[in-house]
Amino acid sequence: MITPPTTSVPMSPQTFDVESLRGEFPILNVLVHGHRLVYLDNAATSQKPRAVIRSEEEYYRTMNANVHRGVHTLSEKATARYEESRESIRKYIGAGSAKEIVFVRGTTEAINLVAATYGKMHVGKGDHVVISGMEHHSNIVPWQMLCGETGALLRVIPLNDRGEVILSEYEKILDGPVKLVAISHISNALGTVNPIREMIASAHRRGIPVLVDGAQAMQHGPVDVRELECDFYAFSGHKMFGPTGIGILFGREALLETMPPYQGGGDMIKSVTFEKTIYNDLPHKFEAGTPNIAGAVALGTATEWLSGLDWTAIGLYEQNLLQYATDALSDMPGVRIIGTAERKAGIVSFVMNDIHPHDIGTILDRDGVAIRTGHHCAQPVMMRYGVPATARASFALYNTASEVDALIAALGRVREVMGI
Amino acid sequence: MTSGAESLYQDIILDHNRSPRNFRVLDGAHRIVEAYNPLCGDHYTIYLKLDGEIISDIAFQGSGCAISKSSASVMSTVVKGKTREEAEALFTAFHHLVTEGADAGEDLDQYGKLAAFSGVSEFPARVKCAILAWHTMKSALHSDAKTVSTE
Ligand SMILES: Cc1ncc(COP(=O)(O)O)c(C=O)c1O
């Protein structure tokens, strides 16, 4: 066991019992190179609670059939379960109607869907599409492709040295011929929580719709799309304790209604002749082909599981843990934290001396500590801060201060192994 | 307490990482090839001078992890002055060592300095780092390819 006893853990008294919550995640007992797993790569994907694992299994054991097709009992059950899950998700994010909840593969597909449909309809030569300097490649490349095809211009909101968008620059950019703003809620590479409410309001004052990449936000607490007043909100199940291969595009009904379908096929039609196809109603118009039914069901379960948690207590707990990790890393000789925004989620990107992050990652892994190293699919961010790559520890609600201590101890070993 | 990471980061590797040999631009090089691993951003340029069949000089520049950099450095020292054929034989031996590991009962000494990389095979995610410069050297011998990518 590498976990040293902790003495100075400044955790405030909580109603939130992290140990019992950890018990719901079977994978946290896995041994890695003889050490109990210290999983600090939650921004890449989160682990799954038993409820979610069971839900997927139960679906396959008791009701597997195709949806929206058969009249037989199982198909009816599967369809009902699939639609119930959509309803759970609708409720969880505060959408007005289940028509606004489109099942997709994940954030990436959700953004591509909007670029390929809404984008192609509304963005033309000379128009601007706005993103920020901290976006994940999946919120850059689809817009670049769209701009390439239409002759539009991609504008990028610059970042300050702490890793925050410069709002005065944003305001200036919005005064151009902007047709859409696409911005992350929380940056996966820097941990910055963007002031998206204000940013959305600014865009709306000029009649510009906003897509929010919510991939990182959903694991840190509930999001209310009506309160944010966003036009589109994209997220992935696997980063919010749900399964891989399923995600959601929320879109305002009025916008989705006007958009052409994304893909053609079964389920997205009302009637097909060789002359003409009549598209299905929302949200099915955007769900061509047999969907990831089990994934959708288990994602619904994940939102139900999340709704049962005390997010006030967890929010405080996560902020304390982030502070503890930030302080401990700052005290570590040679460590420089990349991303020091005022408002951050539990993500700490850092470099240490001139040790390459991949060497850090390999040595940490031998101590059972899993972090991400590399450019985090955000190469422009790396360029902005003048590093080829970073090491990134990202924390979820089941991480503990003693796991932070394990990270720090293992980083000490990195220095030893690398002869520093 | 050892974590096993030491078997990867042997002294020779740390030494060549800290002070890489032949780490410069080679004026008048006959072959200049770039090596790039898009996954981790390791990026090197390798310069070769050929005198008939002989690699009369070799140098490199660039940045990346300790494994890729030390591997490029050690490679530059062992292939300098060798014939193409000898360099290719070294490539084959190195490739075997980092992908399969030394065979049971095999004498590591026969690998010379390359033996320092015998731990790599235990770290599958790092094999690409070790082999990057070698692939680049090999393609520089064969063709005028501009960039070698491990992806
Ligand atoms: C901010 C952000 N956007 C988008 C994505 C892409 O998500 P997915 O790969 O699940 O489609 C990620 C995942 O790493 C992310 O962190």
Side-chain angles (χ1 to χ4, degrees), chain A residues 42-45 105-112 134-139 183-189 213-217 234-239 244-247 347 372 376-377 392:
Chain A
N42 293 285
T45 197
R105 277 193 299 140
T107 310
T108 303
E109 186 171 54
I111 297 172
N112 275 279
M134 69 176 79
E135 299 309 312
H136 187 280
H137 294 164
S138 69
N139 199 29
I183 173 107
S184 51
H185 195 162
I186 293 178
S187 156
N188 67 310
D213 170 352
Q216 290 298 332
F235 58 96
S236 301
H238 70 97
K239 292 188 202 280
T244 51
I246 190 78
I347 292 173
R372 171 84 185 267
H376 317 294
C377 297
R392 179 189 72 189

Side-chain angles (χ1 to χ4, degrees), chain A residues 358-359 362 366-367 413 417, chain B residues 3 9 14 40 66 123 126:
Chain A
H358 279 173
D359 296 316
T362 292
R366 290 282 145 158
D367 280 352
R413 298 221 351 96
V417 171
Chain B
S3 65
Y9 295 97
L14 297 181
C40 49
F123 295 78
R126 306 307 298 276

